[in-house]
Amino acid sequence: MAARNVMKGKTGDWLAVIGLEIHAQIASHSKLFSGSKVKFMAPPNQLVSFFDAALPGTLPVLNKYCVEASILTALALSCRINKKSLFDRKHYFYADMPAGYQITQQRKPIASNGHLLFNVYDDVKREKPRRHRVNIKQIQLEQDSGKSLHDDEKQQTLVDLNRAGVGLMELVTEPDMSNGKEAAAFVQELQTILERIGTCNGKMAEGALRVDANISVNKPGEPHGVRTEVKNINSVRFVKNAIEYEIRRQIDVLESGGTVVMETRSLDDTGCTIPMRDKEVVQDYRFMPEPNLPPLVLYDDTTINSTICQEKAINVDTLRRRMPELPEDQRQRLTEDYGITYSNAVKLVNEEGLADLFEQLCTASSRKETKRLMNWCLIDILKCLHQRNLTVKQSPIPVEKLSDIFSSLQSGEISAKSAQKLLELLFDGDSRSVSEIMDVENLRQITSEEEVLKFCTEAVNEEPDLVEVYQSRNKKVINKLMGIVQVKSKGRIEPQLARRIMEELLERRRRR
Ligand code: ADP
Ligand code: MG
């Protein structure tokens, strides 16, 4: 066992074991078993069909897109796809679940036996990551519940069923992680993959991705300890913090002679985990097969044939062929194709859409400029996006315009400062073409020596004292003259050119 996994206690070393259960909302237009729309933050109870409200006599109709999304997710995580899976009812009574049960896949899930390899940065210096593998036990399809909203002032609970019946993929990992950092890195890589394949938007703050962490501790050489489960963690940072807190708490309990009880806990506002009162009794879910849904049968290239309704049938191999390049494959390829470092490839890939933008811009620019282009994407473009709280996908600037800016920068037509100004204008909604803005806003670099000489002459005429100092004592004052030239030209002269012409001018004056 590597030393990094060992936690120190008063009585010696401890090891921790962590397994995650993750609920990922499927990014589909409609719900898992009904035609109601799926939309975050819609007015309460606007997206509720009779089936979602559990009116008697309504029947589930399986949404093909949700099944395909879960298969794509399973393939991205190297799972075995079960060609036949089953739906079950899991009973519990809660106001936001009007049927009194949730349809899930308890006996046979849609996929099992997968794994994910991801980077863990043990050092603060994010240069060399360690690869870690977590096995995925299963992925099952199930319904989300509605939401209960508690109004403390009026002492009442309101129910919003917009979320009731939204498709969820529940992913269960094996207990293959040993600290909060590893678990957080797993969740982050999963998020990046889900975003990439488009099956879940991954937004934890909106509840689209929710993490339950199972945590136990044991002494080295001893079997796994009793685990607790911290429910509904809603940010990557909280995954790390909640797990670290819970490990510490369990060690303290055990070292002071207590026992850890198997229980469900939640994360409070101060970052502590506290027992959840409503989960104290062991639930009997009275699982039973869902009578209104037949087994879910999937096909592949070898089993699909013309007697099967092509519209309804799902061919796993067709989905496999539709799989986009996964984030880690793209990171590797970027380092090979463009000669950039792995850590820069990570930065490009982890910001959704940025790596694709970089590659699109690369095709239009010279090979020599790859590194400059990469920095332009990672620094200048990202800065503009972050300042406006936008993602790459939400950027209002078409790639062609970005490409125009970069080629003008590359050819020396505009300065870095002007390129930044162009970006700012376009991000703020300027709809003119890049060259029109360059003309109207006077952003083009001054390249004509004659024009540069004009600015230099002006500066020299205005500052005879500086010229005198330059010629008699200190050549460094040329920098002051250069500053004046740049102010006059609004920074549009390439500094080296301005300097050469200024030097020539000052030498000529001396000889006179
Ligand atoms: P159950 O059948 O009780 O639901 P599972 O085997 O399905 O238990 O495990 C549920 C979750 O708990 C999984 O994510 C698994 O990785 C995790 N887990 C299992 N054993 C431990 C343990 N000793 N410590 C921490 N997590 C564990
Ligand atoms: Mg389980």
Side-chain angles (χ1 to χ4, degrees), residues 21 137-138 140 170 172 227:
E21 290 168 285
K137 195 170 169 179
Q138 66 179 59
Q140 71 206 37
E170 181 177 331
V172 184
R227 71 176 195 255

Side-chain angles (χ1 to χ4, degrees), residues 1 10 41 55 73 90 92 112 151 161 166 176 184 214 240 264 281 308 323 331 346 371 512:
M1 188 59 61
K10 286 192 290 268
M41 288 293 270
L55 253 69
T73 304
K90 177 180 182 178
Y92 52 98
S112 40
D151 184 338
L161 293 181
V166 169
D176 291 342
N214 295 276
K240 175 171 171 286
T264 310
V281 281
I308 301 159
M323 179 73 72
R331 290 179 199 123
V346 169
K371 196 145 177 247
R512 263 202 264 148

Side-chain angles (χ1 to χ4, degrees), residues 17-21 137 172-175 214-216 224-225 227:
V17 173
I18 295 133
L20 302 178
E21 290 168 285
K137 195 170 169 179
V172 184
T173 79
E174 296 291 350
N214 295 276
I215 301 146
S216 68
H224 289 171
R227 71 176 195 255

